[in-house]
Amino acid sequence: MLRQVLHAGLRTSFHALGRFVASHPVFFASAPVLLSILLGASFSRYRVEEDVESLLAPKHSLAKIEGNLVDSLFPVNRSKHALYSDLQTPGRYGRVILTTRKGSVLDPVHLDTILKVRSTLHYHTLITVFNYSFSYLCLPDDKNVCIIDDIIRAMEEIQAARASNRSIPVLRYPITQLADGRQAYIGHQLGGGTGARGEGVRSARALQLTYYLQARGGLMDRVASQWEKAFCAELQHFAALHPKLGLYPSTSSSLRTDFQFSSVLARRPLLASLGVCGVLALLCCSMRDCVRSKPWLGLLALLSITLSGLTAAGILNLTGATYNSTYLGIPFVMLGHGLFGSFEMLSSWRRTREDQHVKERVASVFEDVMLRFSGSTMLHLMTLGLAASPLTNMEAVRLFCRTAALAVTISYVYMLSFYSSCLVFTGYLETGYRHGCFCRRVPKPDRLDSKPAWYRCLMYTRYQDEDSHLLLGCVRRCYGDWITNTYVKPFVVLLYLVYISFGLMGFLQVTQGSDPSALVAMDTATVLYTRAQQRYFSSYSPVIGFYIYESAPYWNASVQRDLLEYAKGFQRISWLEAYLNYLSDHNQSTSQPRENFTRTLRHSFLREPQFAHFADDIIFAERGQGEEPDVAASRIFLVAKTTENKREEMSVLLDTLRRLSLTSRVRFLIFNPSFVYLDRYAAAVSSPLRHSLLAVLFLLGLSSLAVVEPLVSVWLGLTLLSVQFGVLGFMTLWGVELDCMSVLCLISALGHSADCSGPLLCGFASGRGESRTRWVRVALERHGVPSLQTLICYSVALVPVGSVRSNLTRTLFRCLTLTAGCSALHTLAFLPTLLTFLPPSKSRGHRPGGEGQRQEVECVEMNDSTRVVDQITTV
């Protein structure tokens, strides 16, 4: 009873709203246009997001807290001896990988060329911005000279030995010893090396150099930004002059630039998508009958979606929001939802009585469609709204869903106002017996016979006879009977089992895509640099910092054993291990009193030239006057041997060492900048999808108590789960990883699948009497055709996006294509077949004289000279 009362009240309200809109069509058509123009003028405030890490990394993670602690203890500007390019990430830097087409980078000709590159980048006047050269912008060492990579010192030693005809010093890998006696890790600087164990490196295919810049304020940051651009330009020029070398530059702004470059590449394809979709929408709204045909409504539906997008963008600009490339998916969220509403309204319009006044026909359309359209809009807002809440730990997902929810809301309002008023205007054209495209009045039949053949073809009308849309005729005469045929049903059920099997196969192989370079445009500096790094520098992991952030009794033998045991199995640069070896070499005990241990460390060990660089790795805390200070914090560097699955191994290593830190007597943490993307990434990416899916199921369960029939909610919930399962499985089989972009597509797929299958389920469940097969056919005619039209236009609009050379748009295209395909299968094949033999029953609640009962109808037609004016029906 409550459900019937609410249904009647909502339908009455929408009926009144439809009459009100039809009574004021000019206002509702002009107000959205004026509002969009006014808000569209705010694009002067358009801003692009600068911080990509905040978008793509989990917002709240232990790695970010650890990174802040590391920066406070060991800031980059404090390092005066050596830096590890994949551990320290200063504000600005330039990095380049040099590879040889043939031979080794250690060959004399290539070695001289590489040192020439280094000299050019350091001293040549071409790399000068605002009269600031690199020597002024660089991070200085303790001698106020720019910090350079250790491999450069090793290569200069080799060049000097060759010039003086001395024996070439042995270059070992990955840890070598320099001329001053210092051990240096060069595994991240020299790649693709070959050589027997103990004999040193014979040849190497790649070399990586890093140039660190200081950022000492706003002006210096802008100067450093200009230096990075000049750095890349100079390397491109140098590569053209030396074709035997391959140069792959990267800077601190490369990831941001290449990530946002996807939006630039997608501008023209998006316009092409809009144009192709407009042509298809025009054809889907056209009929052979020139009076009943409404081609302009297809274009006006796209115009309504475009105006709502412009309004949403204006609101974002006025509120100071920033844009990023993930917003490329928002137009397709609006397109799918808006086209669904427009085609449903047009289908309902064609089912209304043609003898009614336009206002009554529009009111009937609102009463029939708007309850379902409002329900699907609520599903969209529920999924997007919960994913945009503070529960979401991924900033890119949260911003996308917040913006998409705003756009869907405005699109819904514009569909009620702008598109409905356009429907009113086209309705008056139909009532006035005017051409649906040219708005010209169709001549009377006797006058039309005297016109030329092309004119009669153009003005063709069958107003006095029933004329249906081409797709509706196909569904009514062919597809509806075929899909419900007894011999076809087993094959459809078998197809669904195959669908579930392949979905499960992909679901079991889902992998997380935490690499931010997988979301940038193809053939850019970031992608080329990442490929070169994976090819030549994948033998070892990035340098991992092992930070002991509290005072520890380093002089204690058991603590020394524990720390040495933790570092066992790694390639390591450890001040503690070097210091213990130093004590042993000088016949001193490694287990000494605190005073002696610290005094020898400060006044003997750190003053040796080969160990002086360890001063950057130790922080001393003063004690009382006359006492030796304590070692308040320290760090060592670890490097693990890796295979091809580098990021997965790093994630496992992170979890293992963190569990060890919880039980260790020494308080330590480990950090690498890549941990910011790895830490809790799977939970951060999957939680918005999980929350949205639970919210939809909760909303369906709650609405089944008062608004929707319970079985409709059950069927719709199962359909959403099935579509999500299929999209997730098939996208994995198609090579798409679970990253923030694919999760955004999965979240929007919930609303899209509800748009397609919800009306079909509601139309089937509302029927009483007759057979299941009969009501499946009726539901396909009334709601399957609008869903098919939506899917056709939506799928064709995706095609131009698939041609964009970008990893982000490739993920977007694949996921949305799978969403459209899985939704089409469920709406047009699986559900029509399953509903013919599964609940709800059609005999339940049947009453004589009800909606489903056959009625004998007598029609008396009254004609004037041009068309049928009225139909008087008696039952």
Side-chain angles (χ1 to χ4, degrees), residues 670-681:
I670 59 171
F671 180 73
N672 182 274
S674 63
F675 291 171
V676 174
Y677 295 97
L678 293 173
D679 192 16
R680 296 181 55 82
Y681 187 85

mmCIF file with all atom_site columns, all heavy atoms in Angstrom, residues 670-681:
data_model
loop_
_atom_site.group_PDB
_atom_site.id
_atom_site.type_symbol
_atom_site.label_atom_id
_atom_site.label_alt_id
_atom_site.label_comp_id
_atom_site.label_asym_id
_atom_site.label_entity_id
_atom_site.label_seq_id
_atom_site.pdbx_PDB_ins_code
_atom_site.Cartn_x
_atom_site.Cartn_y
_atom_site.Cartn_z
_atom_site.occupancy
_atom_site.B_iso_or_equiv
_atom_site.pdbx_formal_charge
_atom_site.auth_seq_id
_atom_site.auth_comp_id
_atom_site.auth_asym_id
_atom_site.auth_atom_id
_atom_site.pdbx_PDB_model_num
ATOM 1   N N   . ILE A 1 670 ? 62.034 2.180  6.758  1.00 0.00 ? 670 ILE A N   1
ATOM 2   C CA  . ILE A 1 670 ? 62.636 2.143  5.423  1.00 0.00 ? 670 ILE A CA  1
ATOM 3   C C   . ILE A 1 670 ? 61.823 3.055  4.514  1.00 0.00 ? 670 ILE A C   1
ATOM 4   O O   . ILE A 1 670 ? 60.607 3.220  4.697  1.00 0.00 ? 670 ILE A O   1
ATOM 5   C CB  . ILE A 1 670 ? 62.672 0.710  4.857  1.00 0.00 ? 670 ILE A CB  1
ATOM 6   C CG1 . ILE A 1 670 ? 61.255 0.137  4.766  1.00 0.00 ? 670 ILE A CG1 1
ATOM 7   C CG2 . ILE A 1 670 ? 63.581 -0.168 5.677  1.00 0.00 ? 670 ILE A CG2 1
ATOM 8   C CD1 . ILE A 1 670 ? 61.192 -1.172 4.032  1.00 0.00 ? 670 ILE A CD1 1
ATOM 9   N N   . PHE A 1 671 ? 62.521 3.650  3.554  1.00 0.00 ? 671 PHE A N   1
ATOM 10  C CA  . PHE A 1 671 ? 61.824 4.595  2.678  1.00 0.00 ? 671 PHE A CA  1
ATOM 11  C C   . PHE A 1 671 ? 62.510 4.670  1.325  1.00 0.00 ? 671 PHE A C   1
ATOM 12  O O   . PHE A 1 671 ? 63.737 4.598  1.213  1.00 0.00 ? 671 PHE A O   1
ATOM 13  C CB  . PHE A 1 671 ? 61.791 5.995  3.301  1.00 0.00 ? 671 PHE A CB  1
ATOM 14  C CG  . PHE A 1 671 ? 61.078 7.008  2.432  1.00 0.00 ? 671 PHE A CG  1
ATOM 15  C CD1 . PHE A 1 671 ? 59.702 6.984  2.303  1.00 0.00 ? 671 PHE A CD1 1
ATOM 16  C CD2 . PHE A 1 671 ? 61.800 7.955  1.715  1.00 0.00 ? 671 PHE A CD2 1
ATOM 17  C CE1 . PHE A 1 671 ? 59.050 7.900  1.487  1.00 0.00 ? 671 PHE A CE1 1
ATOM 18  C CE2 . PHE A 1 671 ? 61.159 8.873  0.901  1.00 0.00 ? 671 PHE A CE2 1
ATOM 19  C CZ  . PHE A 1 671 ? 59.777 8.841  0.799  1.00 0.00 ? 671 PHE A CZ  1
ATOM 20  N N   . ASN A 1 672 ? 61.663 4.782  0.333  1.00 0.00 ? 672 ASN A N   1
ATOM 21  C CA  . ASN A 1 672 ? 62.049 5.121  -1.030 1.00 0.00 ? 672 ASN A CA  1
ATOM 22  C C   . ASN A 1 672 ? 60.870 5.897  -1.617 1.00 0.00 ? 672 ASN A C   1
ATOM 23  O O   . ASN A 1 672 ? 59.718 5.588  -1.289 1.00 0.00 ? 672 ASN A O   1
ATOM 24  C CB  . ASN A 1 672 ? 62.334 3.853  -1.857 1.00 0.00 ? 672 ASN A CB  1
ATOM 25  C CG  . ASN A 1 672 ? 62.776 4.184  -3.266 1.00 0.00 ? 672 ASN A CG  1
ATOM 26  O OD1 . ASN A 1 672 ? 61.947 4.377  -4.146 1.00 0.00 ? 672 ASN A OD1 1
ATOM 27  N ND2 . ASN A 1 672 ? 64.082 4.243  -3.479 1.00 0.00 ? 672 ASN A ND2 1
ATOM 28  N N   . PRO A 1 673 ? 61.098 6.903  -2.454 1.00 0.00 ? 673 PRO A N   1
ATOM 29  C CA  . PRO A 1 673 ? 59.960 7.675  -2.998 1.00 0.00 ? 673 PRO A CA  1
ATOM 30  C C   . PRO A 1 673 ? 58.916 6.825  -3.692 1.00 0.00 ? 673 PRO A C   1
ATOM 31  O O   . PRO A 1 673 ? 57.735 7.193  -3.710 1.00 0.00 ? 673 PRO A O   1
ATOM 32  C CB  . PRO A 1 673 ? 60.638 8.636  -3.976 1.00 0.00 ? 673 PRO A CB  1
ATOM 33  C CG  . PRO A 1 673 ? 62.001 8.846  -3.419 1.00 0.00 ? 673 PRO A CG  1
ATOM 34  C CD  . PRO A 1 673 ? 62.394 7.527  -2.821 1.00 0.00 ? 673 PRO A CD  1
ATOM 35  N N   . SER A 1 674 ? 59.290 5.689  -4.260 1.00 0.00 ? 674 SER A N   1
ATOM 36  C CA  . SER A 1 674 ? 58.302 4.836  -4.922 1.00 0.00 ? 674 SER A CA  1
ATOM 37  C C   . SER A 1 674 ? 57.347 4.198  -3.926 1.00 0.00 ? 674 SER A C   1
ATOM 38  O O   . SER A 1 674 ? 56.246 3.768  -4.300 1.00 0.00 ? 674 SER A O   1
ATOM 39  C CB  . SER A 1 674 ? 59.005 3.744  -5.734 1.00 0.00 ? 674 SER A CB  1
ATOM 40  O OG  . SER A 1 674 ? 59.758 2.896  -4.897 1.00 0.00 ? 674 SER A OG  1
ATOM 41  N N   . PHE A 1 675 ? 57.735 4.119  -2.624 1.00 0.00 ? 675 PHE A N   1
ATOM 42  C CA  . PHE A 1 675 ? 56.844 3.550  -1.619 1.00 0.00 ? 675 PHE A CA  1
ATOM 43  C C   . PHE A 1 675 ? 55.574 4.381  -1.450 1.00 0.00 ? 675 PHE A C   1
ATOM 44  O O   . PHE A 1 675 ? 54.544 3.859  -1.022 1.00 0.00 ? 675 PHE A O   1
ATOM 45  C CB  . PHE A 1 675 ? 57.563 3.445  -0.268 1.00 0.00 ? 675 PHE A CB  1
ATOM 46  C CG  . PHE A 1 675 ? 58.663 2.427  -0.242 1.00 0.00 ? 675 PHE A CG  1
ATOM 47  C CD1 . PHE A 1 675 ? 59.518 2.336  0.843  1.00 0.00 ? 675 PHE A CD1 1
ATOM 48  C CD2 . PHE A 1 675 ? 58.853 1.568  -1.306 1.00 0.00 ? 675 PHE A CD2 1
ATOM 49  C CE1 . PHE A 1 675 ? 60.533 1.400  0.873  1.00 0.00 ? 675 PHE A CE1 1
ATOM 50  C CE2 . PHE A 1 675 ? 59.873 0.628  -1.290 1.00 0.00 ? 675 PHE A CE2 1
ATOM 51  C CZ  . PHE A 1 675 ? 60.704 0.544  -0.198 1.00 0.00 ? 675 PHE A CZ  1
ATOM 52  N N   . VAL A 1 676 ? 55.630 5.654  -1.796 1.00 0.00 ? 676 VAL A N   1
ATOM 53  C CA  . VAL A 1 676 ? 54.449 6.506  -1.684 1.00 0.00 ? 676 VAL A CA  1
ATOM 54  C C   . VAL A 1 676 ? 53.344 6.004  -2.594 1.00 0.00 ? 676 VAL A C   1
ATOM 55  O O   . VAL A 1 676 ? 52.151 6.088  -2.264 1.00 0.00 ? 676 VAL A O   1
ATOM 56  C CB  . VAL A 1 676 ? 54.816 7.969  -2.023 1.00 0.00 ? 676 VAL A CB  1
ATOM 57  C CG1 . VAL A 1 676 ? 53.588 8.851  -2.064 1.00 0.00 ? 676 VAL A CG1 1
ATOM 58  C CG2 . VAL A 1 676 ? 55.819 8.499  -1.010 1.00 0.00 ? 676 VAL A CG2 1
ATOM 59  N N   . TYR A 1 677 ? 53.708 5.453  -3.759 1.00 0.00 ? 677 TYR A N   1
ATOM 60  C CA  . TYR A 1 677 ? 52.715 4.908  -4.677 1.00 0.00 ? 677 TYR A CA  1
ATOM 61  C C   . TYR A 1 677 ? 52.351 3.464  -4.345 1.00 0.00 ? 677 TYR A C   1
ATOM 62  O O   . TYR A 1 677 ? 51.237 3.017  -4.632 1.00 0.00 ? 677 TYR A O   1
ATOM 63  C CB  . TYR A 1 677 ? 53.252 4.968  -6.116 1.00 0.00 ? 677 TYR A CB  1
ATOM 64  C CG  . TYR A 1 677 ? 53.469 6.367  -6.621 1.00 0.00 ? 677 TYR A CG  1
ATOM 65  C CD1 . TYR A 1 677 ? 54.724 6.956  -6.575 1.00 0.00 ? 677 TYR A CD1 1
ATOM 66  C CD2 . TYR A 1 677 ? 52.415 7.119  -7.132 1.00 0.00 ? 677 TYR A CD2 1
ATOM 67  C CE1 . TYR A 1 677 ? 54.934 8.244  -7.039 1.00 0.00 ? 677 TYR A CE1 1
ATOM 68  C CE2 . TYR A 1 677 ? 52.614 8.408  -7.595 1.00 0.00 ? 677 TYR A CE2 1
ATOM 69  C CZ  . TYR A 1 677 ? 53.870 8.963  -7.544 1.00 0.00 ? 677 TYR A CZ  1
ATOM 70  O OH  . TYR A 1 677 ? 54.066 10.253 -7.991 1.00 0.00 ? 677 TYR A OH  1
ATOM 71  N N   . LEU A 1 678 ? 53.283 2.722  -3.742 1.00 0.00 ? 678 LEU A N   1
ATOM 72  C CA  . LEU A 1 678 ? 53.036 1.311  -3.454 1.00 0.00 ? 678 LEU A CA  1
ATOM 73  C C   . LEU A 1 678 ? 52.243 1.105  -2.172 1.00 0.00 ? 678 LEU A C   1
ATOM 74  O O   . LEU A 1 678 ? 51.441 0.166  -2.079 1.00 0.00 ? 678 LEU A O   1
ATOM 75  C CB  . LEU A 1 678 ? 54.365 0.563  -3.344 1.00 0.00 ? 678 LEU A CB  1
ATOM 76  C CG  . LEU A 1 678 ? 55.205 0.430  -4.620 1.00 0.00 ? 678 LEU A CG  1
ATOM 77  C CD1 . LEU A 1 678 ? 56.551 -0.185 -4.278 1.00 0.00 ? 678 LEU A CD1 1
ATOM 78  C CD2 . LEU A 1 678 ? 54.487 -0.412 -5.645 1.00 0.00 ? 678 LEU A CD2 1
ATOM 79  N N   . ASP A 1 679 ? 52.467 1.942  -1.179 1.00 0.00 ? 679 ASP A N   1
ATOM 80  C CA  . ASP A 1 679 ? 51.918 1.712  0.155  1.00 0.00 ? 679 ASP A CA  1
ATOM 81  C C   . ASP A 1 679 ? 50.395 1.831  0.135  1.00 0.00 ? 679 ASP A C   1
ATOM 82  O O   . ASP A 1 679 ? 49.844 2.882  -0.195 1.00 0.00 ? 679 ASP A O   1
ATOM 83  C CB  . ASP A 1 679 ? 52.523 2.731  1.135  1.00 0.00 ? 679 ASP A CB  1
ATOM 84  C CG  . ASP A 1 679 ? 52.217 2.363  2.570  1.00 0.00 ? 679 ASP A CG  1
ATOM 85  O OD1 . ASP A 1 679 ? 51.828 1.208  2.821  1.00 0.00 ? 679 ASP A OD1 1
ATOM 86  O OD2 . ASP A 1 679 ? 52.357 3.236  3.445  1.00 0.00 ? 679 ASP A OD2 1
ATOM 87  N N   . ARG A 1 680 ? 49.720 0.740  0.491  1.00 0.00 ? 680 ARG A N   1
ATOM 88  C CA  . ARG A 1 680 ? 48.267 0.679  0.587  1.00 0.00 ? 680 ARG A CA  1
ATOM 89  C C   . ARG A 1 680 ? 47.595 1.076  -0.730 1.00 0.00 ? 680 ARG A C   1
ATOM 90  O O   . ARG A 1 680 ? 46.455 1.550  -0.725 1.00 0.00 ? 680 ARG A O   1
ATOM 91  C CB  . ARG A 1 680 ? 47.770 1.594  1.716  1.00 0.00 ? 680 ARG A CB  1
ATOM 92  C CG  . ARG A 1 680 ? 48.228 1.188  3.101  1.00 0.00 ? 680 ARG A CG  1
ATOM 93  C CD  . ARG A 1 680 ? 47.688 2.122  4.166  1.00 0.00 ? 680 ARG A CD  1
ATOM 94  N NE  . ARG A 1 680 ? 46.241 2.228  4.117  1.00 0.00 ? 680 ARG A NE  1
ATOM 95  C CZ  . ARG A 1 680 ? 45.407 1.359  4.666  1.00 0.00 ? 680 ARG A CZ  1
ATOM 96  N NH1 . ARG A 1 680 ? 45.883 0.301  5.276  1.00 0.00 ? 680 ARG A NH1 1
ATOM 97  N NH2 . ARG A 1 680 ? 44.111 1.550  4.593  1.00 0.00 ? 680 ARG A NH2 1
ATOM 98  N N   . TYR A 1 681 ? 48.275 0.847  -1.842 1.00 0.00 ? 681 TYR A N   1
ATOM 99  C CA  . TYR A 1 681 ? 47.696 1.252  -3.126 1.00 0.00 ? 681 TYR A CA  1
ATOM 100 C C   . TYR A 1 681 ? 46.480 0.389  -3.480 1.00 0.00 ? 681 TYR A C   1
ATOM 101 O O   . TYR A 1 681 ? 45.459 0.903  -3.945 1.00 0.00 ? 681 TYR A O   1
ATOM 102 C CB  . TYR A 1 681 ? 48.748 1.146  -4.229 1.00 0.00 ? 681 TYR A CB  1
ATOM 103 C CG  . TYR A 1 681 ? 48.288 1.709  -5.547 1.00 0.00 ? 681 TYR A CG  1
ATOM 104 C CD1 . TYR A 1 681 ? 48.402 3.062  -5.823 1.00 0.00 ? 681 TYR A CD1 1
ATOM 105 C CD2 . TYR A 1 681 ? 47.717 0.888  -6.519 1.00 0.00 ? 681 TYR A CD2 1
ATOM 106 C CE1 . TYR A 1 681 ? 47.968 3.588  -7.025 1.00 0.00 ? 681 TYR A CE1 1
ATOM 107 C CE2 . TYR A 1 681 ? 47.289 1.399  -7.727 1.00 0.00 ? 681 TYR A CE2 1
ATOM 108 C CZ  . TYR A 1 681 ? 47.412 2.749  -7.972 1.00 0.00 ? 681 TYR A CZ  1
ATOM 109 O OH  . TYR A 1 681 ? 46.977 3.265  -9.168 1.00 0.00 ? 681 TYR A OH  1
#
